[in-house]
Amino acid sequence: MVFLTRRERFNAAHRLYNKEWSDEKNKEVFGKCSNANYHGHNFELFVTVKGLPDPDTGFIVNAHSLSVLLQSEIIDKLDHSNLNLDVDFLKDVLPSSENIVIAIWGVLEKLITDCELHCIKLVETENIFVEYYGPQ
Amino acid sequence: MVFLTRRERFNAAHRLYNKEWSDEKNKEVFGKCSNANYHGHNFELFVTVKGLPDPDTGFIVNAHSLSVLLQSEIIDKLDHSNLNLDVDFLKDVLPSSENIVIAIWGVLEKLITDCELHCIKLVETENIFVEYYGPQ
Amino acid sequence: MVFLTRRERFNAAHRLYNKEWSDEKNKEVFGKCSNANYHGHNFELFVTVKGLPDPDTGFIVNAHSLSVLLQSEIIDKLDHSNLNLDVDFLKDVLPSSENIVIAIWGVLEKLITDCELHCIKLVETENIFVEYYGPQ
Amino acid sequence: MVFLTRRERFNAAHRLYNKEWSDEKNKEVFGKCSNANYHGHNFELFVTVKGLPDPDTGFIVNAHSLSVLLQSEIIDKLDHSNLNLDVDFLKDVLPSSENIVIAIWGVLEKLITDCELHCIKLVETENIFVEYYGPQ
Amino acid sequence: MVFLTRRERFNAAHRLYNKEWSDEKNKEVFGKCSNANYHGHNFELFVTVKGLPDPDTGFIVNAHSLSVLLQSEIIDKLDHSNLNLDVDFLKDVLPSSENIVIAIWGVLEKLITDCELHCIKLVETENIFVEYYGPQ
Amino acid sequence: MVFLTRRERFNAAHRLYNKEWSDEKNKEVFGKCSNANYHGHNFELFVTVKGLPDPDTGFIVNAHSLSVLLQSEIIDKLDHSNLNLDVDFLKDVLPSSENIVIAIWGVLEKLITDCELHCIKLVETENIFVEYYGPQ
């Protein structure tokens, strides 16, 4: 088994906000991350797949094809978007990094078929990132 | 003369939007950067000052004091904000990176007095940054 | 399970030195790392925790609260310190990166209670880092 | 168990090319990566070993000795080389990143004896890397 | 005046080789950089332009348009190429980083017309880069 | 004129301390940077030289030769040292980053003769760096 990781990037706005709660409760729990007018990040997405290298190509997956898939199915929807308002696969999802990686896993596990999806990593700032290895 | 640079960071939402123009014209000129629901970035701000080192301290400026100033006057206002809506010194400014560095220079040149402000650099993504050395 | 990692930094002096050995033996084994007057590093500490996201917050842990804990219990003691002389939880520990991550694990495992401590990673230089996943 | 990772770097040329295929087929599968005159990369190699810290040194391995070994057995052969033509342990190997990490594992597993080889990671660009944990 | 910098990347092979010299002389002067089978790099290109922000857009140049120009005129020719053999604007140029930035300046100064070309920077490795501000 | 920059690194301990002052005054001015037992950094040194490329080599300077010079004259003295105690060219110098770059300039300007020394840059942390262009 070899693991291959492809990095993609997207720039998006979001806020942490629980619709069930008052604005005060949101502010108390999420602090400035709940700013009503949003804030944003340069997110980095790392998608790791695993498999055996094909003897003819040396590839577990064509990294360029993987990038094309990630662009069309994930990045085109997230880049220059508002994660609370604009993204179909995040509808009704509180867009914490934890919830975003679970949602991305849900999209990709059906689309990656010639090798195995291993990990979704999302870097929110240089100081915080999350990783998800799927439901187990 | 020695030049000292201090880096600070802020995470903010913005959109590129000229109020004088139709939405179509904004979309034509700014593309996805004009998304009505905003997008965002992890901005990096580099402030460079210059001066002669003080013989007693070896400092042209106390970098900790400079950071405290930048935090209170610049970063506290920009971090987790919406650059189109929330920032006093960006009121009526189209928040392109070019316009933001000019606005930050305007704030800081009055506040930095024991050494000389030299450059404001703003990194928007890993691929784009701007620099401003003041009006000349 | 989602994994969340928080990065903190500290700048510290240390030397590699076994008190049981002669200076010659220390020099032979540790080379310039045993310099009697110390050397130092900008250490980067990555603390990874794991858990299930809270349905109300989307968090496995509030990353800001985690950072406050790491600052008060770990970083305030290590930053601008001498790792051989100044740190209570490193008393009588030869401060190799391997021993430091084990010691930090010992401090944190008692303090992190609402999610599970998963990994302590310490980056000593751009070319060397260590990782510890706890006693097993 | 503590894991220690050492980074080394090498700058090399390569092309992706299957000798059994026509040039057209190679171009179709590998695109510009099959350019007959080669292209190249600044590769980053991360070698991770694991073990228990020696009570006398605090080391699972002397990182300097590990680096000397990696330089003489791996980097001196790869650096400023053509991976298709110049490297003994890549003879008859299609030099994809996947195949390179497997080949490096083959060389190192015999040479690393006082601790255990855990992972070979190769970073090809800022957007693509592969990892190999050995045959299992 | 505001300065805007756009980063682009290309992966290429090259060798340092003076055709007027013997192989021995080339090896003596250029060392392993003269390897007959080439080596390669992940080059990073930083192009800096300067100008006054347009009051309507806040831009000194549309960074996306600049990137499209750099891709078509520079990167498409350099990426996955051999700098000694494949690039029209490097014909008969010894492809040292110094000579490459001068050649890129020559291409771009004619093409960048709505603002002013200021600097071409080329990063060859994490330890070496060159900068050129044009003939003066 | 082309500018070439070479990066070197050194890991060192230091403290900010003015011998003319009381410990209290030192603590008041320098804070935790005056810790009696020292702290330390992974310093990055960028040395920039300028000149015209040699028509035979394409070099303004052989970057490898420059690195050998920097290693023997600067890095071997600074690496794994205590900047307050161990370095001949920092004797009686309060080792602030500002004073260190001036001292390194003093050493190098006599040694760099076949091209011109342009700038000494010292990165102390990811948030602070200084630059010196010589006495003017």
Side-chain angles (χ1 to χ4, degrees):
Chain A
M1 278 302 209
V2 180
F3 298 75
L4 179 141
T5 300
R6 175 79 203 181
R7 184 184 75 125
E8 306 289 342
R9 300 178 301 111
F10 61 96
N11 309 321
H14 78 152
R15 67 181 296 212
L16 300 181
Y17 182 74
N18 182 329
K19 295 171 190 170
E20 309 288 317
W21 292 348
S22 67
D23 285 0
E24 290 67 31
K25 178 81 188 274
N26 273 289
K27 178 134 202 194
E28 185 192 318
V29 173
F30 295 120
K32 59 188 179 178
C33 296
S34 71
N35 176 25
N37 291 327
Y38 309 99
H39 65 284
H41 297 290
N42 299 338
F43 289 95
E44 287 183 286
L45 177 68
F46 293 81
V47 174
T48 303
V49 297
K50 61 182 170 186
L52 294 171
D54 182 313
D56 286 337
T57 62
F59 287 169
I60 60 169
V61 69
N62 184 313
H64 178 67
S65 306
L66 177 60
S67 179
V68 169
L69 175 75
L70 296 176
Q71 285 290 329
S72 66
E73 300 298 328
I74 304 290
I75 300 302
D76 285 354
K77 296 177 178 178
L78 296 174
D79 190 34
H80 285 76
S81 81
N82 183 308
L83 303 179
N84 298 73
L85 301 175
D86 294 337
V87 183
D88 56 2
F89 65 77
L90 292 178
K91 196 164 146 39
D92 295 324
V93 172
L94 195 167
S96 69
S97 287
E98 289 92 328
N99 284 343
I100 297 170
V101 289
I102 294 173
I104 291 174
W105 182 282
V107 175
L108 286 181
E109 67 174 351
K110 297 164 203 148
L111 297 171
I112 290 177
T113 51
D114 45 355
C115 59
E116 196 179 338
L117 184 59
H118 177 67
C119 183
I120 307 290
K121 177 180 175 179
L122 187 67
V123 179
E124 189 177 308
T125 72
E126 65 187 36
N127 294 325
I128 299 177
F129 63 83
V130 301
E131 295 162 296
Y132 184 58
Y133 296 84
Q136 278 154 346
Chain B
M1 278 303 210
V2 179
F3 298 75
L4 179 141
T5 300
R6 174 79 204 182
R7 183 184 75 125
E8 305 289 342
R9 300 178 301 112
F10 61 96
N11 309 321
H14 78 154
R15 67 180 297 213
L16 300 181
Y17 183 75
N18 183 329
K19 295 170 191 171
E20 309 288 317
W21 291 348
S22 67
D23 285 358
E24 290 67 30
K25 179 81 188 272
N26 273 288
K27 178 135 201 193
E28 185 191 319
V29 173
F30 296 120
K32 59 189 180 178
C33 296
S34 72
N35 177 25
N37 292 325
Y38 308 99
H39 66 282
H41 296 290
N42 299 337
F43 289 95
E44 287 182 286
L45 177 68
F46 293 80
V47 175
T48 302
V49 296
K50 62 183 170 187
L52 294 172
D54 182 312
D56 286 337
T57 62
F59 286 169
I60 59 168
V61 69
N62 184 313
H64 179 68
S65 306
L66 177 60
S67 179
V68 169
L69 174 75
L70 296 176
Q71 284 292 327
S72 67
E73 300 298 328
I74 304 289
I75 301 300
D76 286 354
K77 296 177 178 177
L78 296 174
D79 191 32
H80 285 76
S81 81
N82 182 309
L83 303 179
N84 298 72
L85 302 175
D86 294 338
V87 183
D88 56 2
F89 65 77
L90 294 177
K91 196 163 146 43
D92 296 324
V93 172
L94 195 168
S96 69
S97 288
E98 288 92 328
N99 284 342
I100 297 170
V101 290
I102 294 174
I104 292 175
W105 181 283
V107 176
L108 287 180
E109 68 175 351
K110 298 163 203 149
L111 298 170
I112 291 178
T113 51
D114 45 354
C115 58
E116 196 179 339
L117 184 58
H118 177 67
C119 183
I120 307 290
K121 176 180 175 180
L122 186 67
V123 179
E124 188 177 308
T125 72
E126 65 187 37
N127 294 325
I128 299 176
F129 63 84
V130 301
E131 293 161 297
Y132 184 58
Y133 296 84
Q136 279 153 345
Chain C
M1 279 302 210
V2 180
F3 298 76
L4 179 141
T5 300
R6 174 79 204 180
R7 183 184 75 126
E8 306 289 342
R9 299 179 301 112
F10 61 95
N11 308 322
H14 78 153
R15 67 182 296 212
L16 300 181
Y17 183 74
N18 183 330
K19 295 170 192 172
E20 309 288 317
W21 292 348
S22 67
D23 285 358
E24 290 68 30
K25 179 81 188 275
N26 272 289
K27 178 134 202 194
E28 184 192 319
V29 172
F30 296 120
K32 58 188 179 179
C33 297
S34 71
N35 176 24
N37 292 327
Y38 309 100
H39 65 283
H41 298 290
N42 298 338
F43 289 95
E44 286 183 287
L45 177 68
F46 294 80
V47 175
T48 302
V49 297
K50 62 183 171 186
L52 294 171
D54 182 312
D56 286 337
T57 61
F59 287 169
I60 59 169
V61 68
N62 184 313
H64 179 67
S65 306
L66 177 59
S67 179
V68 169
L69 174 74
L70 295 176
Q71 285 291 328
S72 67
E73 300 297 329
I74 304 290
I75 300 301
D76 285 354
K77 296 178 179 176
L78 296 175
D79 191 32
H80 285 74
S81 81
N82 182 309
L83 303 179
N84 297 72
L85 301 175
D86 294 337
V87 184
D88 57 2
F89 64 79
L90 293 178
K91 196 164 146 45
D92 296 324
V93 173
L94 194 167
S96 69
S97 287
E98 289 92 327
N99 284 344
I100 296 170
V101 289
I102 294 173
I104 291 174
W105 182 281
V107 175
L108 287 180
E109 68 174 350
K110 297 163 202 150
L111 298 171
I112 291 177
T113 52
D114 46 354
C115 60
E116 195 178 339
L117 183 60
H118 176 67
C119 183
I120 307 290
K121 176 180 174 179
L122 186 68
V123 180
E124 189 176 307
T125 72
E126 65 187 37
N127 293 326
I128 299 177
F129 63 84
V130 300
E131 294 161 297
Y132 184 59
Y133 296 84
Q136 278 154 348
Chain D
M1 277 302 207
V2 179
F3 297 75
L4 179 141
T5 300
R6 174 79 204 181
R7 184 184 75 125
E8 305 289 342
R9 301 179 300 112
F10 61 95
N11 309 322
H14 78 153
R15 66 181 297 213
L16 300 182
Y17 183 75
N18 183 330
K19 295 171 191 169
E20 309 287 316
W21 292 348
S22 66
D23 285 359
E24 291 67 31
K25 178 81 188 274
N26 272 289
K27 178 135 203 195
E28 185 192 319
V29 173
F30 295 120
K32 59 188 179 179
C33 297
S34 72
N35 177 25
N37 292 327
Y38 308 99
H39 65 283
H41 297 290
N42 299 338
F43 289 94
E44 286 183 286
L45 177 69
F46 293 80
V47 174
T48 303
V49 297
K50 62 182 171 187
L52 294 172
D54 182 313
D56 286 337
T57 62
F59 287 169
I60 59 169
V61 68
N62 184 312
H64 179 67
S65 305
L66 177 59
S67 179
V68 169
L69 175 74
L70 296 176
Q71 285 290 329
S72 65
E73 301 297 327
I74 304 291
I75 301 300
D76 286 354
K77 295 176 179 178
L78 296 174
D79 191 33
H80 286 75
S81 81
N82 183 308
L83 303 180
N84 298 73
L85 302 175
D86 294 338
V87 184
D88 57 1
F89 65 78
L90 292 178
K91 196 163 145 44
D92 296 323
V93 173
L94 195 167
S96 69
S97 287
E98 289 92 328
N99 284 344
I100 297 170
V101 289
I102 294 173
I104 291 175
W105 181 283
V107 175
L108 286 180
E109 67 173 352
K110 296 164 203 150
L111 298 171
I112 291 178
T113 52
D114 46 354
C115 59
E116 196 179 337
L117 184 59
H118 177 68
C119 183
I120 307 291
K121 176 181 174 180
L122 185 68
V123 180
E124 188 177 309
T125 71
E126 66 187 34
N127 293 326
I128 299 176
F129 63 84
V130 301
E131 294 162 296
Y132 184 58
Y133 296 84
Q136 277 155 348
Chain E
M1 277 302 210
V2 180
F3 297 76
L4 179 140
T5 300
R6 173 80 204 181
R7 183 184 75 125
E8 306 289 341
R9 300 179 299 113
F10 61 96
N11 309 321
H14 78 153
R15 66 181 297 213
L16 300 181
Y17 183 74
N18 183 331
K19 295 171 190 171
E20 309 288 316
W21 291 348
S22 67
D23 285 359
E24 290 67 31
K25 178 81 188 273
N26 273 288
K27 178 133 202 194
E28 185 192 318
V29 173
F30 295 120
K32 58 188 179 177
C33 297
S34 72
N35 176 24
N37 292 326
Y38 309 100
H39 65 284
H41 297 291
N42 299 338
F43 289 95
E44 286 183 286
L45 177 68
F46 293 80
V47 174
T48 302
V49 297
K50 62 183 172 187
L52 293 171
D54 182 312
D56 286 335
T57 61
F59 287 169
I60 58 168
V61 68
N62 184 312
H64 178 67
S65 306
L66 177 60
S67 179
V68 169
L69 175 75
L70 296 177
Q71 284 291 328
S72 66
E73 300 298 327
I74 304 290
I75 301 300
D76 286 354
K77 296 176 178 178
L78 296 175
D79 191 34
H80 286 75
S81 82
N82 182 308
L83 303 179
N84 297 73
L85 302 175
D86 294 338
V87 184
D88 57 2
F89 64 77
L90 293 178
K91 196 162 145 44
D92 295 324
V93 173
L94 195 168
S96 69
S97 287
E98 288 92 330
N99 284 343
I100 297 170
V101 290
I102 294 173
I104 292 175
W105 182 282
V107 176
L108 287 179
E109 67 175 351
K110 297 163 203 148
L111 298 171
I112 291 178
T113 52
D114 45 354
C115 58
E116 196 179 339
L117 184 59
H118 177 67
C119 183
I120 307 289
K121 176 181 174 179
L122 186 68
V123 180
E124 187 177 310
T125 72
E126 65 188 35
N127 294 326
I128 300 176
F129 63 84
V130 300
E131 293 161 298
Y132 184 59
Y133 296 84
Q136 278 154 345
Chain F
M1 277 302 209
V2 179
F3 297 75
L4 179 141
T5 300
R6 174 79 203 180
R7 184 184 74 126
E8 306 289 342
R9 300 178 302 111
F10 61 95
N11 308 321
H14 78 153
R15 66 181 298 213
L16 300 181
Y17 183 75
N18 182 329
K19 294 171 191 172
E20 310 287 317
W21 291 348
S22 67
D23 285 359
E24 291 66 33
K25 178 83 188 271
N26 273 289
K27 177 135 203 194
E28 186 193 317
V29 173
F30 295 120
K32 58 186 180 180
C33 297
S34 71
N35 177 26
N37 292 325
Y38 308 100
H39 65 285
H41 297 290
N42 299 337
F43 289 94
E44 287 183 285
L45 177 68
F46 294 79
V47 174
T48 302
V49 297
K50 62 183 170 186
L52 294 172
D54 182 312
D56 286 337
T57 62
F59 287 169
I60 59 169
V61 69
N62 184 312
H64 178 67
S65 306
L66 177 60
S67 179
V68 169
L69 174 75
L70 296 176
Q71 284 291 328
S72 66
E73 300 298 328
I74 304 290
I75 301 300
D76 285 354
K77 296 178 179 178
L78 295 175
D79 191 33
H80 285 75
S81 82
N82 183 307
L83 304 179
N84 298 73
L85 302 175
D86 294 338
V87 183
D88 56 3
F89 65 76
L90 294 177
K91 196 162 147 42
D92 294 324
V93 173
L94 195 166
S96 70
S97 288
E98 288 92 330
N99 284 344
I100 297 170
V101 290
I102 294 173
I104 292 175
W105 181 282
V107 176
L108 287 180
E109 66 174 351
K110 297 163 205 149
L111 298 171
I112 292 178
T113 51
D114 46 355
C115 58
E116 195 179 339
L117 183 59
H118 176 66
C119 184
I120 307 290
K121 176 181 175 180
L122 186 68
V123 180
E124 187 177 310
T125 73
E126 65 187 35
N127 294 325
I128 299 176
F129 63 84
V130 301
E131 294 161 296
Y132 183 58
Y133 296 84
Q136 277 154 347

